[in-house]
Amino acid sequence: MEIIDKAAAMQKRCEEIRQSGKTIALVPTMGFLHDGHLELMREGNWLADILVLSIFVNPTQFGPAEDYQTYPRDMEGDLQKAEEVGVDIVYAPPVDEMYPEGFQTKVIVEGITKQLCGLSRPGHFDGVATVVTKLFNIVKPNIAIFGKKDFQQLTVIRRMARDLNMDIEIIGVPTVREPDGLAMSSRNKYLNAEERESALCLKKSIDMALGLINEGERDVERLKASIREFILKYPFTNIEYVSICDHLSLEEIGTIKEKALLAIAVKVGKTRLIDNWEIDVTT
Ligand code: AMP
């Protein structure tokens, strides 16, 4: 496995790979790898000849009051996991390689970034779109792989790739969960034992809502009220949003007709957790 930290060296190496006729899959991450990340890599290994993993805790996607400084990091452990899962190249640039002095460009996706997480994290998706554009330009992958755990992020990247004619296939991978249902996340590390117990309210409230939907409930306001009530029974929880929205535009809907997205963000103690579920009442 190669480890590269300079953009120019990475561009050169990826150009050689393309010249040799091989395809490249890119999995962008912020590291502290867990099985959710590894699933994206397995998908990449399957879909392309060469698998590139990027590890970069991107400062521009964190708000001033957010956890950039304390975000968990474990480069040694990450490299071992990457090697085991069959990554060919790790791109792990330092911050000043990605944002050298004088940097002043932003990629802004409008519309869909104003919903859900965009409401409480202003500028977050500008940071995501900008860093992903840079990674795309550095690696120029044929395929890029993202998790549906961050469904809005995946939607933003798909929109950006289409709008800017980026010739890259964007793949979404289903959320990988702990055995008890909690969506895997690097931030789960912040939870103490009691908070970890309460964190189950996200997936359990989704299951509860799916039960109601199965029984025929289609009214979004009633469903959201039931979900809120369910979550607030758990200690340490503070709901940021509960949304049932169009799965493409992410705009709120009144009634579930065919497909929809159920998206939840809850603070458990100080830890902000999200979960998403694709609803499909046509099957
Ligand atoms: P992060 O390191 O949190 O920025 O995540 C890097 C990529 O892994 C993103 O595309 C995430 O959506 C994806 N990811 C994170 N957690 C999971 C999970 N539990 N299941 C599937 N994909 C995930």
Side-chain angles (χ1 to χ4, degrees):
M1 186 172 77
E2 292 169 65
I3 302 163
I4 297 177
D5 64 356
K6 294 273 187 295
M10 193 66 199
Q11 279 170 322
K12 188 161 169 275
R13 186 70 190 93
C14 291
E15 184 57 31
E16 285 165 12
I17 293 166
R18 276 189 300 278
Q19 289 291 329
S20 72
K22 291 189 170 149
T23 55
I24 302 175
L26 170 67
V27 176
T29 76
M30 298 204 298
F32 205 69
L33 302 179
H34 52 65
D35 217 40
H37 296 117
L38 300 187
E39 196 58 29
L40 270 53
M41 293 175 220
R42 290 187 196 106
E43 188 74 16
N45 245 336
W46 173 250
L47 292 174
D49 301 318
I50 298 292
L51 175 58
V52 175
L53 165 71
S54 67
I55 300 177
F56 180 64
V57 184
N58 175 36
T60 65
Q61 70 188 69
F62 288 80
E66 292 183 359
D67 56 344
Y68 173 66
Q69 295 298 342
T70 54
Y71 193 82
R73 292 159 166 92
D74 176 19
M75 190 52 87
E76 208 176 304
D78 287 352
L79 293 177
Q80 197 176 332
K81 287 178 188 148
E83 178 112 55
E84 278 165 18
V85 83
V87 168
D88 296 290
I89 307 175
V90 176
Y91 180 54
V95 172
D96 60 2
E97 178 70 16
M98 289 300 264
Y99 300 110
E101 217 185 303
F103 186 93
Q104 45 191 288
T105 300
K106 249 189 211 175
V107 179
I108 299 175
V109 178
E110 306 280 1
I112 44 173
T113 59
K114 304 289 183 288
Q115 328 282 346
L116 308 178
C117 294
L119 290 170
S120 60
R121 305 187 75 190
H124 167 69
F125 288 112
D126 301 350
V128 169
T130 303
V131 81
V132 170
T133 299
K134 285 175 67 69
L135 292 168
F136 283 0
N137 284 331
I138 292 166
V139 176
K140 301 195 194 76
N142 303 79
I143 295 169
I145 302 162
F146 296 85
K148 290 188 176 181
K149 148 130 192 317
D150 302 282
F151 196 92
Q152 187 176 17
Q153 171 172 280
L154 172 64
T155 308
V156 169
I157 303 294
R158 279 196 202 286
R159 182 80 260 161
M160 176 184 85
R162 196 171 310 160
D163 288 353
L164 298 183
N165 304 89
M166 294 171 167
D167 192 13
I168 299 170
E169 191 185 347
I170 309 297
I171 305 281
V173 170
T175 303
V176 177
R177 297 175 182 278
E178 300 288 355
D180 61 7
L182 179 66
M184 288 190 182
S185 162
S186 306
R187 289 190 169 99
N188 292 349
K189 178 187 163 27
Y190 298 144
L191 301 167
N192 65 30
E194 289 170 313
E195 291 167 344
R196 173 68 181 73
E197 198 58 33
S198 274
L200 288 177
C201 70
L202 284 93
K203 176 59 166 52
K204 284 193 172 163
S205 71
I206 292 175
D207 291 342
M208 183 277 300
L210 293 177
L212 295 176
I213 293 167
N214 252 334
E215 287 163 15
E217 180 63 272
R218 296 289 180 270
D219 183 84
V220 164
E221 281 314 315
R222 278 202 298 266
L223 281 165
K224 289 200 298 192
S226 304
I227 295 170
R228 286 180 162 275
E229 196 186 329
F230 185 97
I231 291 174
L232 291 176
K233 287 194 186 128
Y234 286 73
F236 319 114
T237 55
N238 199 340
I239 297 173
E240 191 178 287
Y241 63 74
V242 170
S243 168
I244 297 178
C245 56
D246 183 86
H247 72 295
L248 298 173
S249 71
L250 307 186
E251 276 166 22
E252 291 293 315
I253 54 174
T255 312
I256 300 177
K257 296 225 172 72
E258 293 178 349
K259 292 184 178 181
L261 176 72
L262 167 52
I264 299 176
V266 178
K267 265 198 157 176
V268 180
K270 286 189 177 142
T271 308
R272 184 178 181 279
L273 301 175
I274 60 170
D275 208 336
N276 293 284
W277 196 271
E278 289 173 277
I279 299 168
D280 186 351
V281 293
T282 60
T283 50

